[in-house]
Amino acid sequence: MNEMLINMGKNAKEAETVLRALSTNKKNEVLSAVAGQLVKHTDMLIKANETDVENGRKNHMPESLVDRLMLTKERIDGMAEGLRQLVELEDPVGEVIGMKKRPNGLLIGQKRVPLGVIGIIYEARPNVTADAFGLCFKTGNAVILKGGSDAIYSNQAIVECIRECLKEHGVTENAVQLIEDTSRETAAEFMKMNQYVDVLIPRGGKGLIQAVVNQSTIPVIETGTGNCHIYVDETADLSMAADIIMNAKTQRVGVCNACESLLVHSSVKDDLLPVLAERLKEKHVEMRADQEAMALMPGAVPATEEDWGTEYLDYILSIKIVYSVDEAISHINRYNTGHSEAIITNNYTNAQKFLDEVDAAAVYVNASTRFTDGYEFGYGAEIGISTQKLHARGPMGLLALTTTKYIIYGNGQIRP
Amino acid sequence: MNEMLINMGKNAKEAETVLRALSTNKKNEVLSAVAGQLVKHTDMLIKANETDVENGRKNHMPESLVDRLMLTKERIDGMAEGLRQLVELEDPVGEVIGMKKRPNGLLIGQKRVPLGVIGIIYEARPNVTADAFGLCFKTGNAVILKGGSDAIYSNQAIVECIRECLKEHGVTENAVQLIEDTSRETAAEFMKMNQYVDVLIPRGGKGLIQAVVNQSTIPVIETGTGNCHIYVDETADLSMAADIIMNAKTQRVGVCNACESLLVHSSVKDDLLPVLAERLKEKHVEMRADQEAMALMPGAVPATEEDWGTEYLDYILSIKIVYSVDEAISHINRYNTGHSEAIITNNYTNAQKFLDEVDAAAVYVNASTRFTDGYEFGYGAEIGISTQKLHARGPMGLLALTTTKYIIYGNGQIRP
């Protein structure tokens, strides 16, 4: 294997043992200092970023991506603010859960500890660099970053700032390392470093996440795409339903918890859909509907089979008429991505049924799917939203970056 | 992909929705009935097993493996007893954890739910077939089994018994399916069925587990090998130390929580090692020691670098002298497999330091490593002992076969 990667792995392992033992006070001191350091070096960061932006434009990067790549004074302040917010959060490391005495006198408990070494693979969003460092550092983990090649100068500058600050505070610089070789080969090797890396977290679009899931032998926490549904039941308050649909579809369209597909019980379609169509048109939302819905929604176009399974991330909504809550649930369980699903209803049995039977990370009654978010759930920070079932499901706060170990106090017990 | 596998995947997904909703009473009724069914069909099961055993002997299977493969009346009773024990255990599914009201009135909680579809890949131990079904069924999961080719007739017979019983009780037979094609190609395809299988659990030796980790794109729960250490500190009660070492090394040698390596503080080596050597010799334990230890242990042979990293699973112990608790911890963190580690000490600071700094699933003070076990920890059942850090670490009880989903009760909330 690539010698550079092996060295980084060894450095991270060494850093791990130091970080595991850092006090919360020390970690908070460093996070505040890094926040200050980033702000202090705003000009230098913007300058490094300009090189990336120029190169991006030279390589015909779409303007939407250039926008994500670009650092401004406000964005650097935002990165710093993110780190300062982490200072305020409770440190999950060190808590001992469920310590119990066994009949033989052994005292067994589970202590919350850092995962160890975390790998983050992401695209050309330099803010992830500071954010990922902060989350990993607060939870006592060493982090190895593999950012997109398009942001390499920005990432180098940010990581340099952080490492300088770590050094000034007497903490190992290898708490954060950046893989500067952004080739695909190196990325592929990185994903097989099980000996050194405890978990990989891809942050980015569907393509990136799928590539990591397929190539990695290291355990992956999959953060995911959201083909989120809202089902309007027979007994729904239709004005509440329309407000929730408009919010979930249009409050922000490019996010994974936005609504992509609407299911409407046939008995309320006449009252809901014409009014809703007006409101959707006002917001320039394209409607792709099945035949029955189309008849009630002027301007709608026919939905194809493909639409039911598509996360648009755009001003588009698919609409389907169903005849029962069971049909709605079975449609959702067939086409969803396990993210967020909502029922609008006033029927107790159907609400409970929907909560029980829909298979997703977050299931709502009478609320917008847009709430699936670490901040909205009260975690104060978010690593991502897991759509897989192992380790963490749904919005992941700091806890998701920790594991436990059993600690056992004995007084000479042997196994009979 | 293999059409047979796709069909099994679809069947499992369908079964999943049924199993998720089964009451604990119904699940217990079926588990008891399956236990009875296995006992009732003892003769048939033994007959099927005889074919496997004959084939094994024809293929020169080592007698130790033939022993693991063989079914007897007692072993079938044992399988049934295992299922009956599951009936007594609390069903983790359905519990709602930490339901809290957010400032906007949303009521958010985490409900414990089955993982969904679990794949188990194992070797020629037919008892795993009934055991894995029982654990998965009790937790509301559908299971797809891929057993070793050497046990195919036994596995078919057991699975047939179970499916018959499921049918009689009006529960989908596809709660358990066996992959009857035991080729490597089919196994490799099975490990990439992310669309249908939520998690893979390999049960068997190091080679099997490594192959699954390397090939699977499905999340894997790695149950692991144990290169477990005991460190005897300066202040240890040496008679307690010797008893614990003898227990951890010899009470059962072929298991992952047995002690493989002994570290002794130099200041107690003279008092401990000669006495210990006598006791080890009585039990025919081969001693592989560093130079200093060898001088005090008649009959010991020199340890090589390779010994420090070896899980013997045999009557062999490696022995090394260290000069501090820090040296012991750093040796352990370098060579261990993250399973179980123990310190024997009477020094408060060193005990806490060892618990804090040793990186393993279970860390002991003054007790035998042999206690790392689901039954000993009070879980009543064990899927295996996880040596990875994601999802579950250490002995895994029924909880490890579940995940959570967020359920959210609203009354019209939209995101501002």
Side-chain angles (χ1 to χ4, degrees):
Chain A
M1 195 190 283
N2 193 315
E3 206 170 315
M4 176 270 295
L5 283 179
I6 292 176
N7 279 333
M8 292 180 82
K10 286 183 178 165
N11 290 342
K13 276 279 161 210
E14 271 180 40
E16 179 190 340
T17 64
V18 176
L19 298 174
R20 198 191 292 148
L22 276 192
S23 71
T24 306
N25 286 343
K26 185 74 186 177
K27 291 191 280 191
N28 287 342
E29 175 195 316
V30 171
L31 286 170
S32 297
V34 171
Q37 186 91 338
L38 291 174
V39 172
K40 194 173 125 197
H41 287 91
T42 297
D43 290 346
M44 184 270 277
L45 296 177
I46 289 181
K47 200 152 179 227
N49 181 251
E50 275 168 2
T51 312
D52 286 328
V53 170
E54 265 169 42
N55 289 341
R57 289 216 165 103
K58 241 183 264 166
N59 299 327
H60 312 291
M61 181 187 270
E63 274 306 307
S64 63
L65 294 189
V66 171
D67 177 62
R68 289 183 166 198
L69 170 60
M70 201 177 302
L71 285 180
T72 61
K73 188 182 170 313
E74 289 66 38
R75 286 187 181 180
I76 292 167
D77 288 347
M79 277 163 40
E81 187 47 34
L83 294 173
R84 286 195 200 100
Q85 282 174 7
L86 286 174
V87 172
E88 303 303 318
L89 294 182
E90 203 182 331
D91 182 355
V93 170
E95 187 189 6
V96 177
I97 310 154
M99 185 158 266
K100 280 188 190 135
K101 200 147 203 162
R102 299 288 307 148
N104 60 5
L106 283 178
L107 200 58
I108 303 183
Q110 279 182 289
K111 185 176 167 184
R112 197 157 282 289
V113 295
L115 279 168
V117 179
I118 297 178
I120 311 264
I121 300 188
Y122 56 109
E123 293 164 340
R125 301 187 69 159
N127 62 314
V128 174
T129 308
D131 188 41
F133 159 73
L135 292 161
C136 292
F137 189 78
K138 176 81 188 202
T139 45
N141 292 289
V143 64
I144 300 179
L145 301 170
K146 161 78 189 64
S149 57
D150 295 324
I152 185 67
Y153 291 101
S154 316
N155 289 339
Q156 279 172 334
I158 295 167
V159 169
E160 204 179 297
C161 266
I162 300 173
R163 286 172 63 100
E164 219 179 280
C165 205
L166 286 164
K167 200 173 172 186
E168 275 169 25
H169 286 77
V171 177
T172 168
E173 296 167 276
N174 291 325
V176 58
Q177 296 181 90
L178 176 70
I179 299 178
E180 302 193 340
D181 167 2
T182 56
S183 69
R184 270 169 197 275
E185 295 69 33
T186 299
E189 283 192 74
F190 179 47
M191 292 185 230
K192 304 210 184 302
M193 287 176 68
N194 298 52
Q195 202 188 336
Y196 300 108
V197 182
D198 293 292
V199 56
L200 270 190
I201 306 178
R203 288 181 64 170
K206 201 173 163 177
L208 174 81
I209 291 165
Q210 215 41 57
V212 174
V213 167
N214 287 336
Q215 289 178 62
S216 176
T217 52
I218 300 168
V220 174
I221 299 182
E222 203 176 326
T223 58
T225 53
N227 181 22
C228 305
H229 297 75
I230 291 176
Y231 164 58
V232 182
D233 197 24
E234 238 175 325
T235 58
D237 172 333
L238 296 184
S239 126
M240 180 199 285
D243 288 347
I244 288 175
I245 294 161
M246 292 308 296
N247 181 259
K249 181 67 252 178
T250 68
Q251 195 249 357
R252 202 167 155 205
V253 294
V255 289
C256 57
N257 56 18
C259 174
E260 305 290 9
S261 192
L262 173 66
L263 305 176
V264 176
H265 193 285
S266 71
S267 67
V268 294
K269 65 178 183 179
D270 295 335
D271 290 332
L272 177 67
L273 292 182
V275 185
L276 183 67
E278 282 304 313
R279 291 182 65 178
L280 288 169
K281 256 189 281 182
E282 264 169 42
K283 291 276 190 179
H284 308 288
V285 176
E286 182 183 331
M287 298 168 277
R288 301 194 185 167
D290 70 0
Q291 236 176 337
E292 278 186 82
M294 216 167 68
L296 297 163
M297 302 184 92
V301 299
T304 64
E305 170 65 23
E306 209 193 325
D307 282 299
W308 308 130
T310 302
E311 183 192 26
Y312 302 117
L313 297 173
D314 203 347
Y315 286 91
I316 307 171
L317 180 69
S318 69
I319 302 124
K320 183 182 166 69
I321 305 300
V322 295
Y323 287 82
S324 68
V325 65
D326 288 301
E327 189 187 346
I329 291 170
S330 110
H331 177 93
I332 290 171
N333 283 342
R334 174 158 177 204
Y335 291 102
N336 81 345
T337 54
H339 199 293
S340 302
E341 312 296 342
I343 183 173
I344 318 299
T345 189
N346 203 19
N347 179 300
Y348 173 82
T349 308
N350 290 358
Q352 293 299 114
K353 192 182 178 66
F354 194 87
L355 288 174
D356 281 347
E357 297 182 13
V358 167
D359 192 19
V363 189
Y364 292 82
V365 179
N366 295 346
S368 170
T369 54
R370 286 280 292 118
F371 286 107
T372 305
D373 176 288
Y375 297 92
E376 294 293 334
F377 276 27
Y379 296 157
E382 183 185 282
I383 295 104
I385 295 168
S386 163
T387 52
Q388 67 174 41
K389 292 179 177 179
L390 281 195
H391 188 66
R393 193 178 192 197
M396 297 186 288
L398 292 176
L399 216 57
L401 296 183
T402 66
T403 179
T404 57
K405 73 175 169 194
Y406 284 97
I407 57 174
I408 302 110
Y409 295 94
N411 46 21
Q413 282 83 352
I414 58 171
R415 190 153 166 191
Chain B
M1 194 191 284
N2 194 313
E3 206 169 315
M4 177 270 294
L5 283 179
I6 292 177
N7 279 333
M8 290 179 83
K10 287 184 177 164
N11 289 342
K13 276 279 161 208
E14 270 180 40
E16 180 190 340
T17 64
V18 175
L19 298 174
R20 197 190 294 148
L22 275 192
S23 71
T24 306
N25 286 343
K26 186 71 186 179
K27 291 190 280 192
N28 287 342
E29 175 195 316
V30 171
L31 286 169
S32 298
V34 170
Q37 186 90 338
L38 291 174
V39 173
K40 194 174 125 196
H41 288 90
T42 296
D43 291 346
M44 186 269 278
L45 295 177
I46 291 181
K47 200 150 180 228
N49 181 250
E50 276 167 2
T51 312
D52 286 327
V53 170
E54 265 170 44
N55 289 340
R57 290 217 164 102
K58 241 182 265 166
N59 299 328
H60 312 290
M61 181 186 270
E63 274 307 306
S64 62
L65 294 189
V66 171
D67 177 63
R68 288 183 166 199
L69 170 60
M70 202 178 302
L71 285 179
T72 61
K73 189 182 170 314
E74 289 67 36
R75 288 187 178 179
I76 292 167
D77 288 346
M79 277 163 38
E81 187 47 33
L83 294 172
R84 286 196 199 99
Q85 282 174 8
L86 285 174
V87 171
E88 302 304 319
L89 294 182
E90 203 182 328
D91 181 354
V93 170
E95 187 189 3
V96 177
I97 310 152
M99 185 159 265
K100 281 189 188 133
K101 200 145 203 165
R102 299 289 306 149
N104 60 5
L106 283 179
L107 199 60
I108 303 183
Q110 278 182 290
K111 185 177 167 183
R112 198 157 281 290
V113 296
L115 281 168
V117 179
I118 297 178
I120 311 263
I121 299 189
Y122 55 110
E123 292 164 339
R125 302 188 67 160
N127 62 313
V128 174
T129 308
D131 188 41
F133 159 74
L135 292 162
C136 292
F137 189 78
K138 176 81 189 202
T139 45
N141 292 289
V143 64
I144 300 178
L145 301 169
K146 162 78 187 65
S149 57
D150 295 324
I152 185 68
Y153 290 101
S154 315
N155 289 338
Q156 279 172 334
I158 295 167
V159 168
E160 202 178 298
C161 265
I162 300 173
R163 287 173 62 101
E164 218 179 282
C165 206
L166 286 163
K167 199 174 171 186
E168 274 168 24
H169 286 78
V171 177
T172 168
E173 296 167 276
N174 291 326
V176 58
Q177 297 180 88
L178 176 71
I179 299 178
E180 303 194 339
D181 167 2
T182 56
S183 70
R184 271 168 195 276
E185 294 70 36
T186 299
E189 285 193 71
F190 179 47
M191 291 185 231
K192 304 209 184 304
M193 285 176 68
N194 298 51
Q195 202 188 337
Y196 301 107
V197 182
D198 293 292
V199 56
L200 270 190
I201 307 178
R203 289 181 64 171
K206 201 172 163 177
L208 174 80
I209 291 166
Q210 216 39 60
V212 174
V213 167
N214 287 335
Q215 289 179 61
S216 175
T217 51
I218 300 168
V220 174
I221 299 182
E222 203 175 326
T223 57
T225 53
N227 181 23
C228 305
H229 299 75
I230 292 177
Y231 164 59
V232 182
D233 196 25
E234 239 175 325
T235 58
D237 172 334
L238 297 183
S239 128
M240 181 201 284
D243 287 347
I244 289 175
I245 295 161
M246 292 307 296
N247 181 259
K249 180 68 253 178
T250 68
Q251 194 248 358
R252 203 169 154 202
V253 293
V255 290
C256 56
N257 56 17
C259 174
E260 306 290 10
S261 192
L262 173 65
L263 306 176
V264 177
H265 193 284
S266 72
S267 68
V268 295
K269 65 178 181 177
D270 295 336
D271 289 333
L272 178 67
L273 292 182
V275 185
L276 184 67
E278 281 304 314
R279 292 183 65 179
L280 288 169
K281 256 189 280 181
E282 264 169 42
K283 291 277 190 179
H284 310 288
V285 177
E286 182 183 331
M287 298 168 279
R288 302 193 185 168
D290 70 0
Q291 238 177 334
E292 281 187 80
M294 217 168 67
L296 296 163
M297 303 184 92
V301 299
T304 63
E305 169 65 22
E306 208 193 326
D307 281 300
W308 308 130
T310 301
E311 183 191 26
Y312 302 117
L313 297 172
D314 203 346
Y315 286 91
I316 308 172
L317 180 70
S318 69
I319 303 125
K320 182 182 169 69
I321 304 301
V322 295
Y323 286 81
S324 68
V325 66
D326 287 303
E327 189 187 346
I329 292 170
S330 109
H331 178 92
I332 290 172
N333 283 342
R334 174 156 177 208
Y335 292 103
N336 81 344
T337 54
H339 199 292
S340 302
E341 312 296 342
I343 183 174
I344 317 299
T345 190
N346 203 19
N347 179 300
Y348 174 82
T349 307
N350 289 359
Q352 293 298 116
K353 192 182 178 64
F354 194 87
L355 288 174
D356 280 349
E357 296 182 14
V358 167
D359 192 20
V363 189
Y364 292 82
V365 179
N366 294 346
S368 169
T369 54
R370 286 280 292 117
F371 286 107
T372 305
D373 176 287
Y375 296 91
E376 294 293 334
F377 277 27
Y379 296 157
E382 183 185 283
I383 294 103
I385 295 168
S386 163
T387 52
Q388 65 174 41
K389 292 180 176 176
L390 281 195
H391 188 66
R393 194 178 192 198
M396 297 186 288
L398 293 176
L399 217 57
L401 296 184
T402 66
T403 180
T404 57
K405 73 175 170 193
Y406 284 98
I407 57 174
I408 302 109
Y409 294 94
N411 46 22
Q413 282 83 351
I414 59 172
R415 189 153 167 191

